């Protein structure tokens, strides 16, 4: 009986120890380069990680977001600020978001959603294609913001850190154009 208990304890200890070991077969530190492609407009932005942040290293994100604003949403905006890039942990989804200023100096959020249908595990270059274009408009909020989570636009909300116009009851309308 003691021998049976000893064997069971050894087996359980082995399972416990090995379950916390690092599985290097599927481990990746992420890609070194991500290409965001908009085939309809023949635009590719290249993004690399520098100092812990993703940066556009080839292409003009502000011009690209302005093109989306004008062509997809008929918004006349300029001077894009606060441009951010975010990816999910598996690099299957990514989003580029920025805020253009209209003639009245109000911020107009514009976003581009990208998807990679393949698992990029272990590759140094990931290619994502444009799948959705986003904007939001205040009703009567002048402080709309696109909320992102894990590389996707998940909502349009009224209020952000640079805004002083937080009227009670103000909201924003989220508009999405699917590009696939």
């Amino acid at each position: 009986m003691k021998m049976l208990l000893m064997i069971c304890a050894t087996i359980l200890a082995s399972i416990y120890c090995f379950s916390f070991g690092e599985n290097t077969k599927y481990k990746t530190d992420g890609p070194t380069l991500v290409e965001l492609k908009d085939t309809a407009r023949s635009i590719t932005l290249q993004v690399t990680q520098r100092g812990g942040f993703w940066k556009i290293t080839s292409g003009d994100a502000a011009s690209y977001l302005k093109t989306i604003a004008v062509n997809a949403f008929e918004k006349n905006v300029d001077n894009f600020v606060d441009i951010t890039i975010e990816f999910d942990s598996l690099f299957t989804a990514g989003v580029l978001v920025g805020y253009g200023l209209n003639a009245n100096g109000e911020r107009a959020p514009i976003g581009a959603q990208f998807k990679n249908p393949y698992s990029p595990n272990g590759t140094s270059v990931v290619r994502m294609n444009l799948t959705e274009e986003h904007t939001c408009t205040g009703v009567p909020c002048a402080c709309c913001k696109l909320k992102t989570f894990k590389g996707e636009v998940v909502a349009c909300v009224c209020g952000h850190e640079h805004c002083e116009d937080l009227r009670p009851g103000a909201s924003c309308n989220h508009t999405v154009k699917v590009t696939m």
Side-chain angles (χ1 to χ4, degrees), residues 31 33-36 90-92 116 120 123-128:
L33 174 71
V34 178
E35 290 184 346
L36 305 176
L90 299 176
F91 292 91
T92 57
N116 175 8
T123 59
S124 61
V125 178
V126 172
R127 291 173 179 86
M128 295 186 178

Side-chain angles (χ1 to χ4, degrees), residues 14 22 26 28-29 36 40 67 75 87 91 124 130 143 160 170 174:
S14 297
E22 191 172 340
Y26 296 106
T28 180
D29 292 326
L36 305 176
T67 299
K75 289 183 179 249
F87 300 104
F91 292 91
S124 61
L130 178 69
C143 305
H160 56 77
H174 187 185

Side-chain angles (χ1 to χ4, degrees), residues 32-138:
T32 56
L33 174 71
V34 178
E35 290 184 346
L36 305 176
K37 293 183 175 262
D38 181 338
T39 54
R41 296 183 181 103
S42 300
I43 295 174
T44 299
L45 301 175
Q46 291 186 341
V47 185
T48 57
Q49 195 172 35
R50 292 194 181 158
F53 297 98
W54 289 97
K55 304 279 184 191
I56 301 282
T57 53
S58 177
D60 186 348
S63 293
Y64 177 59
L65 290 171
K66 180 177 179 164
T67 299
I68 291 174
V70 171
N71 294 340
F73 302 111
E74 298 178 2
K75 289 183 179 249
N76 187 14
V77 293
D78 259 322
N79 304 319
F80 273 83
V81 296
D82 299 331
I83 297 173
T84 59
I85 305 160
E86 178 184 312
F87 300 104
D88 69 333
S89 62
L90 299 176
F91 292 91
T92 57
V95 65
L96 175 69
V97 174
Y99 297 86
L101 302 176
N102 67 17
N104 298 330
E106 297 169 332
R107 293 165 54 105
I110 301 292
Q113 176 76 49
F114 297 87
K115 296 282 185 176
N116 175 8
Y118 308 105
S119 174
N121 198 9
T123 59
S124 61
V125 178
V126 172
R127 291 173 179 86
M128 295 186 178
N129 296 315
L130 178 69
T131 56
E132 297 175 354
E133 298 164 325
H134 295 258
T135 191
C136 53
T137 306

